[in-house]
Amino acid sequence: MLNYIYWNPDPEIININGFPLRYYGLLFVTGVLVSSYFLGKIFKKEGLPQSNHDRLLIYAVLGIFIGARLGHCLLYEPVYFLSNPLEMIFPIRFLNDGSIEFIGYSGLASHGGGIGLTIALILYSKKTKHHFVDVVDLLAVVVGIGCAFIRIGNLMNSEIIGTPTDLPWAFVFERIDFIPRHPSQLYEAICYLIIFGTMMFLYYKHRTSLKNGFFSGTVILLIFTSRFFIEFLKENQVSFEEGLSFNMGQMLSVPYVLIGFCLIIYSKRKALPEAEEKVRQKEKQSEIF
């Protein structure tokens, strides 16, 4: 037991008159800002207006947050939250004595965030006339680093814990129990950082040839494939998952993996006629001269 990592940070950095500043919220915001920074560089490289970048940031944050919150409430704890609908919207809990406790938004589901983000991007593309697939491709390049920060936030909250293990890097989450467990939050964060690095490399080295949904398909495929396998090392989040062969996170990951795979195929098929058209244009130009 002495070789394991004992983990028991206070999720709150500071509490001012009952309103806490938590590591999770700070890391969530930091992830958004870092992603936005890199996305701004990409918008500049693409020759897109800064106003579109700022508008996309607002749409994306709202879409991710609302979708992730509703996804957790309706997919993981529907009975409780449908009985307490205000708690889906506000970061509070109504106690039995009639008082209200500020608890923050601790329940967020990445699958719901993906759906919310998709809806937000559709609205953004209609508003700005920026082609939907191209918008998603650009955002896909940077999304991995934001996801990594969120998983570090989960680690600071001692939530989404892993299954028991005797590996030397096991974490003992003292707020939960004294059992050495896989640091599944770190596993995911590392995967997302690797995905971010991969996407940045592909964008800066192969942007001219990789378009039409390739980046979005690749990042969706990589994120949710890694999520599917890491779920085997996680404790189930709610009790009804105990009798299932695959937990809720895995079942929700499968459609995303299929979507990512289909987008990659679509991008490759669409790229072929575009390449042929470029060849024809060059041939015409050579005939003229």
Side-chain angles (χ1 to χ4, degrees):
M1 291 290 289
L2 294 177
N3 294 324
Y4 300 131
I5 300 170
Y6 285 80
W7 190 254
N8 191 29
D10 189 338
E12 294 184 5
I13 302 172
I14 190 172
N15 192 307
I16 302 174
N17 296 326
F19 291 92
L21 172 63
R22 299 173 180 266
Y23 283 105
Y24 183 89
L26 180 62
L27 286 163
F28 187 101
V29 172
T30 302
V32 169
L33 293 176
V34 173
S35 299
S36 175
Y37 170 78
F38 285 107
L39 186 61
K41 296 288 187 182
I42 290 173
F43 264 57
K44 186 176 181 180
K45 189 175 186 298
E46 296 278 326
L48 297 170
Q50 179 66 32
S51 59
N52 278 17
H53 169 264
D54 297 339
R55 180 173 290 169
L56 177 59
L57 177 62
I58 295 171
Y59 276 74
V61 169
L62 290 176
I64 291 170
F65 180 77
I66 294 172
R69 180 60 178 169
L70 292 179
H72 172 83
C73 296
L74 299 178
L75 293 173
Y76 288 93
E77 299 180 78
V79 175
Y80 176 81
F81 282 105
L82 288 175
S83 301
N84 302 274
L86 289 179
E87 293 186 23
M88 284 195 285
I89 304 170
F90 301 106
I92 57 175
R93 176 181 293 151
F94 294 97
L95 304 179
N96 293 330
D97 60 4
S99 61
I100 296 175
E101 178 186 11
F102 182 89
I103 60 171
Y105 293 105
S106 58
L108 299 173
S110 58
H111 301 86
I115 295 172
L117 176 60
T118 301
I119 295 172
L121 294 181
I122 291 172
L123 296 175
Y124 164 84
S125 63
K126 288 183 176 180
K127 183 73 174 178
T128 60
K129 309 303 180 184
H130 190 173
H131 195 275
F132 173 74
V133 175
D134 192 50
V135 176
V136 178
D137 263 3
L138 297 182
L139 193 60
V141 178
V142 304
V143 71
I145 196 165
C147 294
F149 274 96
I150 290 173
R151 280 297 178 253
I152 298 298
N154 295 135
L155 179 67
M156 299 305 295
N157 276 350
S158 297
E159 60 189 1
I160 315 182
I161 60 174
T163 53
T165 182
D166 58 0
L167 291 170
W169 58 81
F171 274 52
V172 177
F173 295 96
E174 296 183 29
R175 290 179 175 271
I176 309 299
D177 52 34
F178 284 87
I179 300 173
R181 297 178 177 276
H182 284 286
S184 55
Q185 313 94 326
L186 277 181
Y187 296 164
E188 276 197 74
I190 292 170
C191 283
Y192 295 153
L193 286 174
I194 292 172
I195 291 170
F196 168 71
T198 301
M199 299 306 297
M200 290 290 284
F201 172 80
L202 290 173
Y203 174 79
Y204 280 101
K205 294 294 184 179
H206 303 285
R207 171 57 174 166
T208 55
S209 59
L210 300 177
K211 297 182 179 180
N212 306 311
F214 176 85
F215 292 105
S216 51
T218 301
V219 82
I220 290 171
L221 179 64
L222 291 176
I223 284 178
F224 287 99
T225 298
S226 62
R227 172 73 186 273
F228 181 88
F229 287 107
I230 292 173
E231 287 291 328
F232 285 113
L233 301 177
K234 289 183 186 179
E235 290 286 4
N236 292 325
Q237 295 188 52
V238 286
S239 58
F240 75 80
E241 294 178 296
E242 297 297 334
L244 302 176
S245 299
F246 299 105
N247 64 27
M248 181 63 76
Q250 290 173 312
M251 289 189 290
L252 292 173
S253 293
V254 172
Y256 283 99
V257 171
L258 295 175
I259 290 170
F261 186 69
C262 290
L263 280 171
I264 292 172
I265 294 175
Y266 167 79
S267 71
K268 290 298 184 181
R269 288 186 174 180
K270 189 170 177 59
L272 288 175
E274 289 183 355
E276 291 173 356
E277 180 62 26
K278 288 181 179 179
V279 171
R280 285 194 293 268
Q281 292 295 331
K282 287 182 179 179
E283 289 175 350
K284 288 181 180 180
Q285 290 177 359
S286 62
E287 290 174 359
I288 293 174
F289 292 104

